[in-house]
Amino acid sequence: MKKIGIIMGSDSDLPVVEKAMTTLDEFGVPYEVHVFSAHRTPAEAKDFSANARKNGFGAIIAAAGKAAHLAGAIAANTTLPVIGIPVKASTLDGLDALLSTVQMPAGIPVATVAIDGAANAALLALQILSVSDDEVAAKLDAQRKTASENVLKKNEEIEKRFNK
Ligand code: RP5
């Protein structure tokens, strides 16, 4: 099974990134976690991304706040799919990181999730793996079914309470 790479620009991003790790744990999909910064440790970020495909990764999640160039810098050095998580880490509430992550120039795509959207980043990475992994695809189907059943239960409770 392919691994997911989870890279964060700083260990201060960990509280956000942990939601991606929890989601991948629920699916039993292997991942590696690293702190590499586009600005503070660019050589390590480049080395990881340039070798990621041959090291068995199928997708990379990159989380960063402020002037968030990490996902783009990683995408510059690999043709694996890269998913950016803009992290709310400044007085600009994550809008800075969202714009830095999402506004990639043509030719170097980054799939950007919501500000602090780590669970969706993990789910999207799993959906990417599911294209060639039937076991992951089946787990995703089951997870959608459970999520849908949970919402239907909540709807039933609300309907009982308010529709007399
Ligand atoms: C970004 O700057 C990191 O991804 C983090 O979100 C933000 C602040 O980093 P620290 O100063 O907390 O290390 O590069």
Side-chain angles (χ1 to χ4, degrees), residues 8-13 37 39-40 63-68 70 87-89:
M8 63 196 107
S10 165
D11 64 345
S12 65
D13 299 320
S37 165
H39 306 120
R40 293 166 174 158
K66 296 187 174 172
L70 181 61
V87 175
K88 179 176 166 177

Side-chain angles (χ1 to χ4, degrees), residues 126 129-131 133-142:
L126 289 164
L129 292 198
S130 77
V131 171
D133 189 319
D134 291 343
E135 195 185 327
V136 175
K139 285 182 181 174
L140 282 164
D141 284 343

Side-chain angles (χ1 to χ4, degrees), residues 135-150:
E135 195 185 327
V136 175
K139 285 182 181 174
L140 282 164
D141 284 343
Q143 186 264 354
R144 282 282 176 100
K145 194 165 172 275
T146 306
S148 177
E149 283 165 1
N150 288 341

Side-chain angles (χ1 to χ4, degrees), residues 78-154:
T78 182
T79 52
L80 286 174
V82 176
I83 302 161
I85 307 173
V87 175
K88 179 176 166 177
S90 79
T91 48
L92 296 180
D93 280 343
L95 187 58
D96 43 359
L98 173 63
L99 297 179
S100 298
T101 305
V102 78
Q103 287 285 48
M104 288 299 293
I108 310 293
V110 166
T112 305
V113 295
I115 296 168
D116 290 352
N120 264 2
L123 289 170
L124 184 53
L126 289 164
Q127 289 180 206
I128 289 164
L129 292 198
S130 77
V131 171
S132 59
D133 189 319
D134 291 343
E135 195 185 327
V136 175
K139 285 182 181 174
L140 282 164
D141 284 343
Q143 186 264 354
R144 282 282 176 100
K145 194 165 172 275
T146 306
S148 177
E149 283 165 1
N150 288 341
V151 173
L152 289 173
K153 263 184 227 151
K154 285 177 190 164

